[in-house]
């Protein structure tokens, strides 16, 4: 297991309010192409207790039940570990969540979004813990999914840069990506991301730099926030004993100007939430200039002297371009994965609908 802690040395678990026993919460999943939707699920889960343990499935398990993951299990473990609401990561967590797993890690209950996760044979992976009353549900984040992000890469349009409603042509094309003919799955497809101040407030720490903290400014696109970004920010975090890292994010149009194609894959507000969810980041500048000016440094009370720039090698060769290349190379596999996933979910929904329509005495609880 990988212990994070929440800023405490050694990641020691703290007691709950009033000295009571800490409520331990379990979440699990693939966490492939970790985005702010995953982070928001973990934020909500952490708010339900005092200590959050996250189980992450292996590549083999994901391939068996769902299809090929975009990222390797080691990459996914580290990405989840970097989310600030996570206290502990359990690698190689079983795909089906059982009472045995919850008991092994002394968890009171598990939390999942209000969608559904199915095994290769179409069974609800949370069936056992639901029946035992040790299951809680949180709201699924609208406007983002791994399926949607993969679709943006393959469709090569720039519609996601706009905060305006998608054109009907784009929506029809995007919403059909990797879906079954005539599919009507309520959990897949594309929904418009709505940027609100509340979302940012929920993700932000709200803490100003304190006396004795070293303010460090970094800037970039931080598109498809990935392990390369995490490695970089972790190294920056180590530059000072008490770092306060401010991440500047460039406007979509600026990123598109220097990167071209349909970059950034995530729009500015989506990228803001992804970066704010990282445990190494204290604050974000939305729409930071490409060039760091004296005025910008002055605004954050940085010394107006020169010689304060450092170049940090993240040690990772992963880039947004390489992620997109992985998707393009395996396009047919990912489309087949999405179609297979939706087919199982539709079959499950239909079975549930038929059972609900049966007289009470005829129900056996087996889908």
């Amino acid at each position: 297991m990988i212990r994070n802690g929440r800023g405490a040395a050694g990641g020691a678990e703290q007691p709950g309010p009033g000295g009571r026993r800490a409520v331990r919460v379990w979440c699990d999943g693939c966490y492939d192409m970790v985005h702010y939707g995953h982070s928001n699920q973990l934020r909500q889960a952490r708010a339900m207790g005092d200590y959050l343990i996250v189980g992450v499935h292996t590549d083999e398990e994901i391939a068996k039940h769902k299809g090929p993951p975009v990222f390797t299990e080691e990459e996914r473990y580290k990405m989840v570990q970097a989310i600030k609401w996570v206290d502990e990561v359990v690698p190689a967590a079983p795909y089906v969540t059982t009472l045995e797993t919850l008991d092994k890690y002394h968890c009171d209950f598990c939390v999942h979004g209000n969608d559904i996760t199915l095994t290769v044979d179409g069974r609800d992976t949370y069936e056992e813990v639901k029946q035992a009353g040790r299951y809680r549900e949180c709201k699924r984040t609208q406007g983002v999914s791994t399926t949607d992000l993969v679709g943006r890469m393959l469709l090569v349009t720039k519609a996601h840069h706009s905060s305006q409603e998608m054109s009907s042509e784009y929506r029809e094309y995007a919403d059909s990506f990797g879906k079954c003919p005539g599919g009507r799955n309520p959990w897949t497809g594309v929904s418009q991301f709505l940027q609100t101040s509340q979302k940012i407030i929920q993700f932000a720490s709200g803490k100003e730099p304190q006396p004795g903290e070293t303010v460090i400014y970094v800037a970039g696109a931080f598109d498809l926030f990935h392990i390369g970004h995490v490695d970089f920010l972790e190294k920056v975090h180590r530059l000072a004993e008490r770092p306060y890292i401010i991440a500047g994010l460039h406007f979509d149009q600026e990123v598109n100007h220097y990167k071209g194609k349909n970059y950034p894959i995530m729009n500015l507000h989506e990228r803001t939430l992804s970066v704010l969810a990282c445990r190494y980041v204290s604050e974000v500048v939305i729409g930071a200039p490409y060039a760091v000016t004296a005025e910008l440094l002055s605004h954050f009370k940085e010394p107006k002297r020169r010689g304060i720039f450092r170049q940090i090698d993240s040690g990772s060769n992963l880039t947004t371009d390489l992620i997109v290349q992985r998707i393009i190379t395996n396009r047919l596999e990912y489309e087949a994965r999405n179609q297979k996933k939706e087919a199982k979910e539709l079959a499950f929904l239909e079975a549930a609908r038929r059972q609900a329509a049966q007289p009470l005495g005829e129900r056996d609880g087996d889908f």
Side-chain angles (χ1 to χ4, degrees):
M1 69 182 65
I2 305 166
R3 293 188 184 277
N4 281 335
R6 292 169 65 80
E13 181 179 350
Q14 302 299 312
R20 63 164 172 74
R21 183 185 68 81
V23 175
R24 293 166 65 89
V25 181
W26 173 271
C27 283
D28 55 30
C30 304
Y31 299 103
D32 197 19
M33 288 187 64
V34 174
H35 49 67
Y36 64 90
H38 294 123
S39 299
N40 196 35
Q41 179 225 358
L42 297 176
R43 178 191 67 80
Q44 293 178 79
R46 182 60 173 73
M48 296 182 190
D50 305 301
Y51 193 83
L52 177 61
I53 302 175
V54 181
V56 183
H57 311 316
T58 62
D59 297 341
E60 182 181 4
E61 281 284 271
I62 296 171
K64 174 184 174 182
H65 293 281
K66 206 173 174 183
V70 177
F71 288 98
T72 68
E73 58 199 63
E74 293 300 328
E75 290 170 335
R76 292 182 290 106
Y77 298 155
K78 193 161 188 177
M79 284 300 298
V80 174
Q81 185 183 2
I83 296 173
K84 64 185 179 184
W85 296 287
V86 176
D87 294 296
E88 188 177 318
V89 173
V90 174
Y95 199 81
V96 176
T97 308
T98 63
L99 294 174
E100 180 183 1
T101 297
L102 296 189
D103 291 341
K104 179 179 179 180
Y105 295 100
H106 310 290
C107 291
D108 297 88
F109 54 85
C110 73
V111 177
H112 186 65
N114 56 348
D115 53 355
I116 194 165
T117 303
L118 303 174
T119 62
V120 66
D121 56 358
R123 296 185 68 90
D124 184 352
T125 59
Y126 295 98
E127 182 178 349
E128 182 177 316
V129 291
K130 284 179 178 178
Q131 291 178 351
R134 293 173 68 180
Y135 176 86
R136 305 286 186 276
E137 205 166 78
C138 63
K139 291 183 179 180
R140 182 175 181 270
T141 305
Q142 292 297 312
V144 68
S145 68
T146 301
T147 302
D148 181 19
L149 294 176
V150 170
R152 292 183 195 181
M153 297 178 214
L154 298 179
L155 297 174
V156 198
T157 73
K158 299 180 184 180
H160 54 280
H161 296 170
S162 173
S163 61
Q164 303 301 314
E165 184 66 25
M166 298 176 186
S167 69
S168 57
E169 182 180 5
Y170 173 80
R171 179 171 290 278
E172 181 180 358
Y173 188 24
D175 203 36
S176 66
F177 164 69
K179 294 185 72 175
C180 300
R184 291 293 183 274
N185 189 337
W187 302 307
T188 59
V190 179
S191 58
Q192 182 70 7
F193 171 72
L194 298 176
Q195 58 222 32
T196 66
S197 59
Q198 183 61 27
K199 283 189 175 72
I200 293 177
I201 290 169
Q202 289 172 338
F203 275 52
S205 68
K207 297 179 180 178
E208 295 286 336
Q210 300 301 307
E213 291 185 329
T214 301
V215 179
I216 304 172
Y217 178 76
V218 299
F222 294 103
D223 193 18
L224 291 178
F225 194 72
H226 53 70
I227 197 66
H229 298 132
V230 168
D231 286 341
F232 166 70
L233 290 168
E234 184 179 15
K235 286 193 173 185
V236 172
H237 197 267
R238 292 174 183 168
L239 291 177
E241 185 176 345
R242 296 179 58 199
Y244 185 96
I245 298 175
I246 300 170
L249 276 75
H250 304 147
F251 282 118
D252 296 338
Q253 293 80 1
E254 194 161 24
V255 176
N256 189 250
H257 177 72
Y258 66 76
K259 290 213 63 172
K261 300 179 182 177
N262 64 330
Y263 294 117
I265 303 300
M266 282 184 163
N267 66 44
L268 176 60
H269 294 272
E270 293 173 316
R271 291 183 285 119
T272 296
L273 295 178
S274 296
V275 174
L276 279 174
C278 180
R279 66 174 61 249
Y280 305 119
V281 175
S282 302
E283 184 60 280
V284 164
V285 178
I286 301 173
Y290 186 72
V292 180
T293 64
E295 289 77 13
L296 178 64
L297 293 179
S298 177
H299 179 74
F300 294 113
K301 300 181 181 179
E302 286 285 348
K304 291 186 179 180
R305 58 183 173 86
R306 294 301 176 255
I308 58 174
F309 174 79
R310 296 190 191 182
Q311 189 166 355
I312 304 296
D313 182 358
S314 71
S316 172
N317 62 359
L318 187 63
T319 64
T320 303
D321 287 327
L322 287 177
I323 295 171
V324 174
Q325 191 57 48
R326 287 186 190 182
I327 298 295
I328 293 174
T329 301
N330 298 286
R331 174 174 184 160
L332 294 179
E333 285 188 84
Y334 292 129
E335 288 186 338
R337 179 184 78 171
N338 292 338
Q339 289 178 354
K340 180 180 177 182
K341 176 177 180 288
E342 191 192 23
K344 285 195 303 180
E345 291 172 348
L346 288 170
F348 184 91
L349 286 171
E350 178 59 25
R353 185 193 64 77
R354 287 199 306 268
Q355 178 156 350
Q358 290 178 353
L360 189 60
E362 297 179 16
R363 301 180 190 176
D364 59 10
D366 186 3
F367 294 160

